[in-house]
Amino acid sequence: MSEPNNTVPSEEFDPHASSLPGEVEQEVLDELYAIRGSIDNFDAQLVYLLAERFKATQRVGLLKARHDLPPSDPNREKAQIQRLRSLAHEAHLDPEFAEKFLNFVISEVIRHHQNISDAHKND
C-alpha cells in the first residue's frame, strides 16, 4: 500500500477550522483539535485504503472483461455483505452502516467493471 503523503499545503486544509473559537475555552478547543487530528489521520488512511482496494478491483474488472464474465457477481456480493456485517458487529460498528458503506463501494466497483467491459468490447 502506498504511504500517505501528509504534506498538504496549509491553504488547502486548516486542521483548526472551526466555528467555535471565542465560544468555548481554549482548553476545550485544544482537546477538540487533538481528537480531530486523529480523525483526520483515519480519514487519510481510509482514502489510501480505498485507493488500493479500487486498484485491486480494477484488476478483477480487466480479468472479467478478458474472459467475458459479468461485471456483477451477486453471490460474492451477498457473501461480502454478510461478512462485513459480522465484522462490524465484532468491532462494535453499526452493521447497517457497514452494509450501506459496502453497498456504495460495490455499486462503484460494478460501474467500473461495466465501463471496463464496454471498453474491452470496443477494442
Side-chain angles (χ1 to χ4, degrees), residues 25-58:
E25 296 176 17
Q26 188 61 45
E27 182 179 306
V28 174
L29 276 178
D30 290 342
E31 184 175 357
L32 180 64
Y33 294 152
I35 296 167
R36 285 180 175 172
S38 292
I39 292 168
D40 294 345
N41 289 337
F42 295 135
D43 289 345
Q45 290 172 349
L46 285 170
V47 167
Y48 281 91
L49 284 170
L50 283 170
E52 292 300 316
R53 187 187 194 286
F54 274 91
K55 286 176 190 173
T57 61
Q58 290 290 93

Side-chain angles (χ1 to χ4, degrees), residues 77-87 102:
E77 294 150 19
K78 182 179 177 183
Q80 279 294 88
I81 289 168
Q82 289 174 341
R83 177 178 167 267
L84 196 68
R85 286 184 65 90
S86 178
L87 290 171
L102 186 59

Side-chain angles (χ1 to χ4, degrees), residues 87-102:
L87 290 171
H89 180 74
E90 291 172 14
H92 304 285
L93 177 68
D94 179 5
E96 292 293 322
F97 170 76
E99 183 174 346
K100 287 178 187 176
F101 177 77
L102 186 59

Side-chain angles (χ1 to χ4, degrees), residues 1 3 9 13 23-24 27 33-34 38 40 47 49 54 63 67-68 86 89 92 94 100 108 110 118 121-123:
M1 180 173 78
E3 289 299 315
F13 176 70
E23 301 290 324
V24 298
E27 182 179 306
Y33 294 152
S38 292
D40 294 345
V47 167
L49 284 170
F54 274 91
L63 183 65
H67 296 279
D68 201 28
S86 178
H89 180 74
H92 304 285
D94 179 5
K100 287 178 187 176
E108 284 299 298
I110 292 169
D118 292 346
K121 288 176 185 173
N122 293 332
D123 285 346

Side-chain angles (χ1 to χ4, degrees), residues 56-76:
T57 61
Q58 290 290 93
R59 290 175 43 213
V60 169
L62 289 168
L63 183 65
K64 286 181 172 184
R66 282 196 304 267
H67 296 279
D68 201 28
L69 299 171
S72 177
D73 186 343
N75 288 339
R76 164 73 177 172

